[in-house]
Amino acid sequence: MKKEHWINPESNLIVEKYSKVINREHLDQLDGRLYNEMDKGRPLLHLADFTDATFFNLDYGEMADIFNDFLNRLGDNVGTKVAFYSGNNDKDDLMKVSAFSKYETSKVQLKSFVELIDAVKWLELTQEDRQEIWKKLQ
Protein backbone atom coordinates (compact mmCIF):
# COMPACT_ATOMS: atom_id res chain seq x y z
CA MET A 1 0.00 0.00 0.00
CA LYS A 2 1.12 3.52 -0.74
CA LYS A 3 -0.44 6.49 1.06
CA GLU A 4 0.06 10.22 0.62
CA HIS A 5 -1.71 12.92 2.58
CA TRP A 6 -2.17 16.67 2.76
CA ILE A 7 -3.58 18.79 5.56
CA ASN A 8 -5.27 22.16 5.29
CA PRO A 9 -5.49 23.54 8.86
CA GLU A 10 -7.67 26.50 7.85
CA SER A 11 -10.43 24.16 6.64
CA ASN A 12 -9.64 21.44 9.20
CA LEU A 13 -9.30 19.14 6.18
CA ILE A 14 -7.29 15.97 5.64
CA VAL A 15 -6.88 14.60 2.12
CA GLU A 16 -5.43 11.11 1.69
CA LYS A 17 -4.59 9.27 -1.52
CA TYR A 18 -4.23 5.51 -1.35
CA SER A 19 -2.75 3.41 -4.12
CA LYS A 20 -1.59 -0.12 -4.81
CA VAL A 21 -2.94 -3.08 -2.84
CA ILE A 22 -4.51 -2.48 0.58
CA ASN A 23 -4.59 -5.42 2.99
CA ARG A 24 -6.19 -5.58 6.43
CA GLU A 25 -2.79 -5.36 8.10
CA HIS A 26 -2.19 -2.02 6.34
CA LEU A 27 -5.37 -0.64 7.88
CA ASP A 28 -4.31 -1.97 11.29
CA GLN A 29 -1.07 0.04 11.00
CA LEU A 30 -2.88 3.38 10.75
CA ASP A 31 -2.51 5.05 14.14
CA GLY A 32 -4.48 8.31 14.00
CA ARG A 33 -1.55 10.73 14.12
CA LEU A 34 -3.15 12.84 11.38
CA TYR A 35 -6.27 13.33 13.48
CA ASN A 36 -4.20 14.46 16.46
CA GLU A 37 -2.87 17.35 14.34
CA MET A 38 -6.36 18.69 13.66
CA ASP A 39 -8.46 21.21 15.61
CA LYS A 40 -10.70 19.04 17.79
CA GLY A 41 -13.00 21.99 18.52
CA ARG A 42 -14.20 22.22 14.91
CA PRO A 43 -15.74 19.66 12.58
CA LEU A 44 -13.12 17.59 10.77
CA LEU A 45 -13.36 17.11 7.01
CA HIS A 46 -11.68 14.10 5.45
CA LEU A 47 -11.39 13.08 1.79
CA ALA A 48 -9.95 9.62 1.08
CA ASP A 49 -9.09 8.87 -2.56
CA PHE A 50 -9.15 5.14 -3.39
CA THR A 51 -9.18 5.50 -7.19
CA ASP A 52 -5.78 3.80 -7.57
CA ALA A 53 -6.17 1.28 -4.76
CA THR A 54 -7.26 -2.33 -4.67
CA PHE A 55 -8.62 -3.94 -1.53
CA PHE A 56 -7.26 -7.44 -1.22
CA ASN A 57 -8.24 -10.11 1.31
CA LEU A 58 -10.70 -7.75 2.93
CA ASP A 59 -14.16 -9.14 3.43
CA TYR A 60 -17.43 -7.54 4.36
CA GLY A 61 -17.49 -9.30 7.73
CA GLU A 62 -14.49 -7.24 8.85
CA MET A 63 -16.10 -3.86 8.15
CA ALA A 64 -17.49 -3.34 11.66
CA ASP A 65 -14.08 -4.02 13.23
CA ILE A 66 -12.35 -1.72 10.75
CA PHE A 67 -14.88 1.03 11.44
CA ASN A 68 -14.47 0.69 15.22
CA ASP A 69 -10.69 0.94 14.76
CA PHE A 70 -11.27 4.09 12.71
CA LEU A 71 -13.41 5.61 15.50
CA ASN A 72 -10.65 4.86 18.02
CA ARG A 73 -8.07 6.62 15.80
CA LEU A 74 -10.42 9.56 15.31
CA GLY A 75 -10.51 10.31 19.02
CA ASP A 76 -12.61 13.13 20.43
CA ASN A 77 -13.19 15.32 17.38
CA VAL A 78 -16.45 17.30 17.56
CA GLY A 79 -17.81 15.90 14.32
CA THR A 80 -16.41 14.36 11.20
CA LYS A 81 -17.45 14.12 7.56
CA VAL A 82 -15.56 11.51 5.56
CA ALA A 83 -15.90 11.33 1.79
CA PHE A 84 -14.62 8.16 0.15
CA TYR A 85 -13.75 8.87 -3.49
CA SER A 86 -13.47 5.65 -5.47
CA GLY A 87 -13.85 6.87 -9.05
CA ASN A 88 -14.32 4.10 -11.56
CA ASN A 89 -12.55 1.60 -9.36
CA ASP A 90 -13.40 -2.08 -9.49
CA LYS A 91 -17.04 -2.72 -8.52
CA ASP A 92 -16.10 -4.98 -5.61
CA ASP A 93 -13.70 -2.36 -4.23
CA LEU A 94 -16.39 0.30 -4.59
CA MET A 95 -18.80 -1.91 -2.67
CA LYS A 96 -16.24 -2.47 0.11
CA VAL A 97 -15.66 1.27 0.50
CA SER A 98 -19.41 1.97 0.34
CA ALA A 99 -20.08 -0.63 3.03
CA PHE A 100 -18.64 1.73 5.65
CA SER A 101 -21.57 4.11 5.18
CA LYS A 102 -23.90 1.87 7.13
CA TYR A 103 -21.82 2.45 10.26
CA GLU A 104 -22.46 6.20 10.41
CA THR A 105 -22.96 7.69 13.85
CA SER A 106 -24.21 11.07 15.02
CA LYS A 107 -20.55 12.04 15.30
CA VAL A 108 -19.29 10.61 11.99
CA GLN A 109 -20.91 11.00 8.58
CA LEU A 110 -19.58 8.78 5.79
CA LYS A 111 -20.39 8.76 2.12
CA SER A 112 -18.90 7.16 -1.00
CA PHE A 113 -18.55 8.98 -4.31
CA VAL A 114 -17.70 7.98 -7.85
CA GLU A 115 -17.09 11.61 -8.88
CA LEU A 116 -14.61 13.90 -7.13
CA ILE A 117 -16.80 16.96 -7.70
CA ASP A 118 -19.65 15.33 -5.78
CA ALA A 119 -17.33 14.48 -2.88
CA VAL A 120 -15.99 18.04 -2.49
CA LYS A 121 -19.49 19.49 -2.77
CA TRP A 122 -20.75 17.18 -0.02
CA LEU A 123 -17.82 18.23 2.17
CA GLU A 124 -18.80 21.86 1.44
CA LEU A 125 -15.21 22.80 0.60
CA THR A 126 -14.21 26.27 -0.55
CA GLN A 127 -13.28 26.88 -4.17
CA GLU A 128 -9.63 27.26 -3.12
CA ASP A 129 -9.67 23.87 -1.37
CA ARG A 130 -11.34 22.27 -4.39
CA GLN A 131 -8.71 23.63 -6.76
CA GLU A 132 -5.87 22.46 -4.53
CA ILE A 133 -7.37 18.98 -4.23
CA TRP A 134 -7.96 18.77 -7.96
CA LYS A 135 -4.30 19.66 -8.68
CA LYS A 136 -2.88 17.18 -6.17
CA LEU A 137 -5.12 14.23 -6.96
CA GLN A 138 -4.96 14.43 -10.75
Side-chain angles (χ1 to χ4, degrees):
M1 174 184 83
K2 181 179 174 189
K3 182 179 88 125
E4 301 174 62
H5 72 273
W6 305 275
I7 294 176
N8 182 338
E10 292 82 32
S11 302
N12 217 33
L13 169 69
I14 296 173
V15 179
E16 294 181 290
K17 178 158 182 72
Y18 292 84
S19 53
K20 301 189 179 186
V21 175
I22 301 174
N23 291 306
R24 173 63 198 258
E25 58 267 14
H26 292 131
L27 297 175
D28 291 340
Q29 293 168 3
L30 301 175
D31 60 9
R33 274 184 264 175
L34 287 179
Y35 299 118
N36 291 332
E37 296 178 33
M38 307 309 288
D39 182 350
K40 292 180 175 39
R42 295 188 298 149
L44 171 66
L45 304 175
H46 186 166
L47 174 66
D49 178 346
F50 292 105
T51 56
D52 296 327
T54 301
F55 289 94
F56 185 73
N57 279 344
L58 189 64
D59 63 42
Y60 293 100
E62 295 177 294
M63 292 300 175
D65 293 335
I66 293 169
F67 183 73
N68 286 331
D69 291 345
F70 165 72
L71 288 179
N72 289 336
R73 287 193 300 273
L74 188 57
D76 296 326
N77 282 67
V78 169
T80 304
K81 283 179 90 171
V82 181
F84 296 117
Y85 167 49
S86 57
N88 292 320
N89 209 335
D90 177 81
K91 182 181 177 188
D92 190 50
D93 286 339
L94 173 61
M95 295 301 289
K96 288 176 183 175
V97 170
S98 298
F100 282 108
S101 298
K102 70 180 181 181
Y103 297 108
E104 274 191 335
T105 67
S106 59
K107 182 177 154 182
V108 179
Q109 295 177 340
L110 304 162
K111 194 163 181 180
S112 294
F113 297 91
V114 174
E115 300 291 335
L116 182 57
I117 189 68
D118 295 331
V120 297
K121 282 181 182 177
W122 182 74
L123 289 171
E124 302 176 47
L125 298 178
T126 66
Q127 190 62 33
E128 293 82 23
D129 285 339
R130 292 177 189 195
Q131 289 173 344
E132 186 69 21
I133 287 168
W134 187 257
K135 282 189 249 175
K136 289 184 177 181
L137 294 183
Q138 300 304 317

